Amino acid sequence: MEPLAVLADPRSLTAAAISFFAAVSLTPLVIRAASSRGWVAHPKADRWHTKPTALMGGIAIYLAISAGWLFVGLSASLAWIWAGASLMFVVGLIDDRVGVSPVIKLLAQIAAAAVLVVGGYLLVPALPVWLSVPITLIWIIGITNAFNLLDNMDGLAAGIAAIAALTLALLLAVHGDGQLFGAALAVFAASAGFLLFNFKPASIFMGDSGSLVLGYSLAGLSVAYPAEGAGLELAALLFVPAAVMAVPILDTTLVTLRRILVGRRVSEGGRDHSSHRLVQLGLSEGRAVLTLYAVAALFGLLALTFQYTNLLLSWAVLTYALIGLAVFGVFLAGVTVYDSQQEELARRRLDGREDSDHVALRAALRNKRQIVGVLVDLLLVSGSLSAAWFLRFEDNFSSHQLDMLLRALPVVIPVKIAVFYAAGLYRGLWQYSGSHDAMRVLRSSAAASVVSVLGLLALYRFEGFSRSAFAIDWLITTGSLIAVRVAYRAFRQYFAERRAGRQVLIYGAGDAGSLALRELRQNHELGLVPVGFIDDDPGKEGRLMHGLPVVGGADGLPAYPRLFGVDEIIVAIARIDSSRRMEIIEACHAANIACRILNFTLGPRMEPGDTVARPSVVA
């Protein structure tokens, strides 16, 4: 069928309407039944909700999806997905009521994934069977568990499932598969209908009976996505379903790695998911969920545009999207979600284990920034060279030019990473990147490009390669390297300005004020949020410094609490005499506002051999 005919198919649209109204009608009934029977989730220390909330929402979700699928028609292809989803529903329902051990749940997921494989579903059918089958099993089990983990905040799993299902429906429509389009649309409608009762403040939770069904259904539909005849390469085939599931994959990867690295069990509950970390950064629960919705929608849009753009351009865009997601994930991983004592105890437990696996984990913990930096730059170098090739040749791009690119990549990628490492790019901390780091990137990128060209000259005498393509590549690579490091710092600044705390103005819009601003933004334990600067120089008034306005001078102190909601003044002037200091303090007191003096002093120089007085210890 033509895509427009699929989109307008009345049978599919009716199936979606049936699923939506079934979810809207059944969910209140489940809420009443759960309340009367005591199927209620009570608040716990490792859970996010603060009031008793009805469980068993998965009953409404499963029945709503099944109603839509039955209306579409359970053909041989869809029947396999429905059979596996039904198994997941039964296992989830038992887990919600009496509990199921992680081993039993995993075995059930393996059985459900095997159902699809027996039905002929393979994620990458172009690969040999011995490789394609395990990839498919891992994919289905991984996505099923990812949605199970994602169900950690009101409306999150249901909303992400709705976005993923709608994206899959549109992808299936593009390829003319009317029945699977209707099936995906039914999952979207059931998720959207349930979301009306699950978004904050939630009146019902879906439980495992809902999250496992949604995860498995979406995994099955993504595997059913028709690869044949799509005209995409292997990377594209893998990217489309991965893009649709970007948020569940991000959350699962983040939670799994962080729990392993700090010695916590992966299977235990916790408030360390991506949504929890966004709330910890100062977003409300609703805005945290909407932020993850936006990420899911963006990657869904990329998956859709992948069908209509040049393969080379698509690959370049893909790499930059993955880089952005990786930087976002690394930033979230650095957010403290447990108190320092809990984190320290977990690390001590990890350090106390001497087996080789945990020795490797400790090494990874110590070097995680460098490892992430190398992985990000691997994608960056590949994407930059692909983008340069596309910009250089565009409409004249031919199979010969693709062959030249494939010959260049295995040389350029390792050479550039080696030069970056030798130049010290992986020794820096992204959150403190500045002009010195930008200059190092410029030098490193130029040296890497020169060495890469020399490598191609030695191997192929540079025959058939375009000099202008490598010049474009240098520009893109350099800009991308700087942008990635700036983006990490921008994330910190953006969320620092939105976290809760006492609002402060910094007195002194100079170098000392800049240092004070950096300390206040990065030291969350102070609980101080800078909102602007004060300076006695009238020429600075109204200007921006690090994104914050210079609001005026000391004469405006009485009005600042009312105008800006300021709680304190931080005096950050490197050279200030005692009389001027007293004047500022008296002006703050007269305005009925607290103030602090930020001191910029060095202690006395200690020469070798000097005696240092030790503090006395009181028993």
Side-chain angles (χ1 to χ4, degrees):
M1 296 175 64
E2 292 296 323
L4 289 179
V6 173
L7 290 171
D9 180 24
R11 191 173 186 84
S12 297
L13 298 177
T14 304
I18 290 172
S19 292
F20 179 79
F21 286 112
V24 171
S25 303
L26 291 171
T27 303
L29 298 178
V30 175
I31 292 173
R32 287 199 290 272
S35 301
S36 63
R37 294 175 177 271
W39 300 341
V40 176
H42 295 280
K44 295 181 181 179
D46 63 344
R47 301 299 180 188
W48 197 253
H49 63 286
T50 57
K51 62 182 181 66
T53 307
L55 289 170
M56 302 298 178
I59 296 175
I61 293 174
Y62 172 74
L63 293 176
I65 291 175
S66 297
W69 286 6
L70 288 170
F71 184 83
V72 169
L74 286 178
S75 66
S77 58
L78 187 55
W80 291 106
I81 303 177
W82 183 77
S86 299
L87 175 59
M88 287 292 90
F89 171 69
V90 172
V91 173
L93 198 63
I94 296 172
D95 190 32
D96 289 337
R97 289 295 302 121
V98 297
V100 174
S101 71
V103 174
I104 298 298
K105 190 186 295 186
L106 178 60
L107 290 174
Q109 291 168 357
I110 294 173
V115 167
L116 283 183
V117 174
V118 170
Y121 288 104
L122 293 174
L123 183 63
V124 190
L127 293 177
V129 173
W130 61 266
L131 183 58
S132 186
V133 168
I135 289 176
T136 303
L137 292 174
I138 291 171
W139 171 260
I140 296 169
I141 295 167
I143 295 302
T144 302
N145 276 301
F147 272 91
N148 191 218
L149 286 173
L150 196 66
D151 184 26
N152 56 68
M153 189 171 284
D154 293 356
L156 182 56
I160 297 297
I163 294 170
L166 181 60
T167 305
L168 279 172
L170 295 174
L171 286 168
L172 290 163
V174 169
H175 291 281
D177 195 319
Q179 187 187 49
L180 290 179
F181 165 74
L185 209 59
V187 176
F188 160 73
S191 302
F194 180 77
L195 187 61
L196 297 176
F197 304 91
N198 185 237
F199 198 80
K200 184 177 177 61
S203 53
I204 187 171
F205 294 151
M206 67 174 64
D208 282 11
S209 60
S211 61
L212 292 177
V213 167
L214 286 175
Y216 181 87
S217 300
L218 291 168
L221 288 169
S222 66
V223 172
Y225 171 76
E228 290 81 8
L232 301 175
E233 300 293 338
L234 177 61
L237 294 175
L238 290 173
F239 166 67
V240 171
V244 175
M245 308 298 177
V247 170
I249 292 172
L250 168 68
D251 188 70
T252 302
T253 304
L254 174 62
V255 170
T256 301
L257 293 180
R258 284 297 296 163
R259 287 183 182 177
I260 289 175
L261 291 176
V262 299
R264 298 176 63 87
R265 292 193 304 273
V266 177
S267 60
E268 69 179 303
R271 302 171 67 162
D272 55 353
H273 293 266
S274 52
S275 54
H276 302 146
R277 294 172 186 272
L278 287 170
V279 172
Q280 196 70 22
L281 286 166
L283 296 185
S284 65
E285 291 182 42
R287 288 188 65 184
V289 170
L290 291 174
T291 298
L292 294 175
Y293 284 1
V295 174
L298 174 63
F299 274 83
L301 182 62
L302 283 174
L304 289 169
T305 57
F306 217 67
Q307 314 301 305
Y308 299 102
T309 56
N310 177 279
L311 176 61
L312 195 60
L313 178 61
S314 299
W315 173 250
V317 173
L318 160 64
T319 57
Y320 287 115
L322 291 176
I323 288 170
L325 192 65
V327 173
F328 185 55
V330 170
F331 171 73
L332 290 180
V335 177
T336 301
V337 290
Y338 295 103
D339 62 55
S340 56
Q341 289 184 345
Q342 287 177 300
E343 294 282 351
E344 182 61 28
L345 286 173
R347 287 192 177 92
R348 287 180 181 177
R349 288 201 306 270
L350 185 64
D351 289 338
R353 301 169 184 170
E354 297 301 329
D355 54 279
S356 59
D357 290 341
H358 288 92
V359 169
L361 284 177
R362 287 196 295 274
L365 179 61
R366 287 192 296 269
N367 300 297
K368 62 181 183 296
R369 291 187 179 88
Q370 290 85 348
I371 293 172
V372 170
V374 170
L375 293 177
V376 166
D377 285 351
L378 282 172
L379 288 171
L380 188 150
V381 171
S382 173
S384 296
L385 192 61
S386 300
W389 234 257
F390 173 78
L391 291 174
R392 168 62 181 81
F393 298 103
E394 292 191 57
D395 295 334
N396 297 322
F397 188 80
S398 63
S399 58
H400 171 70
Q401 293 302 333
L402 177 60
D403 180 63
M404 299 306 295
L405 175 62
L406 294 177
R407 295 173 73 182
L409 282 171
V411 177
V412 172
I413 292 176
V415 166
K416 286 197 173 186
I417 295 299
V419 173
F420 293 161
Y421 183 85
L425 286 192
Y426 304 119
R427 292 198 295 268
L429 298 175
W430 289 357
Q431 60 265 44
Y432 302 114
S433 297
S435 57
H436 293 293
D437 298 281
M439 293 304 300
R440 183 183 293 113
V441 166
L442 283 170
R443 293 192 298 268
S444 303
S445 182
S449 294
V450 171
V451 176
S452 298
V453 170
L454 291 175
L456 292 172
L457 185 64
L459 288 173
Y460 304 115
R461 293 184 294 181
F462 210 70
E463 291 181 356
F465 292 103
S466 168
R467 291 187 295 271
S468 56
F470 282 92
I472 297 171
D473 171 59
W474 173 76
L475 291 173
I476 297 176
T477 302
T478 304
S480 300
L481 288 168
I482 295 173
V484 165
R485 285 145 180 82
V486 170
Y488 188 90
R489 186 171 175 180
F491 276 136
R492 290 174 62 89
Q493 179 173 327
Y494 175 83
F495 287 105
E497 293 172 353
R498 281 153 181 80
R499 72 177 190 269
R502 292 172 62 82
Q503 308 280 307
V504 300
L505 285 172
I506 300 173
Y507 197 133
D511 292 338
S514 179
L515 290 173
L517 176 64
R518 174 176 290 189
E519 176 64 19
L520 294 179
R521 279 177 167 170
Q522 296 179 350
N523 191 343
H524 295 182
E525 294 181 0
L526 294 174
L528 302 176
V529 181
V531 296
F533 289 91
I534 302 172
D535 201 274
D536 293 327
D537 182 355
K540 294 182 178 179
E541 184 174 352
R543 295 181 177 272
L544 293 177
M545 181 172 173
H546 299 298
L548 296 182
V550 180
V551 300
D555 54 347
L557 273 172
Y560 293 153
R562 174 177 54 83
L563 293 176
F564 305 107
V566 177
D567 301 302
E568 292 185 28
I569 302 294
I570 306 295
V571 181
I573 303 176
R575 295 184 179 87
I576 182 171
D577 56 43
S578 56
S579 60
R580 179 56 182 155
R581 179 183 302 174
M582 286 306 303
E583 289 177 5
I584 294 174
I585 294 174
E586 290 171 357
C588 290
H589 289 171
N592 196 28
I593 185 171
C595 69
R596 305 190 199 196
I597 306 294
L598 187 62
N599 294 315
F600 297 88
T601 59
L602 289 174
R605 185 174 69 252
M606 307 300 295
E607 298 288 353
D610 288 353
T611 302
V612 180
R614 297 182 179 275
S616 59
V617 178
V618 179

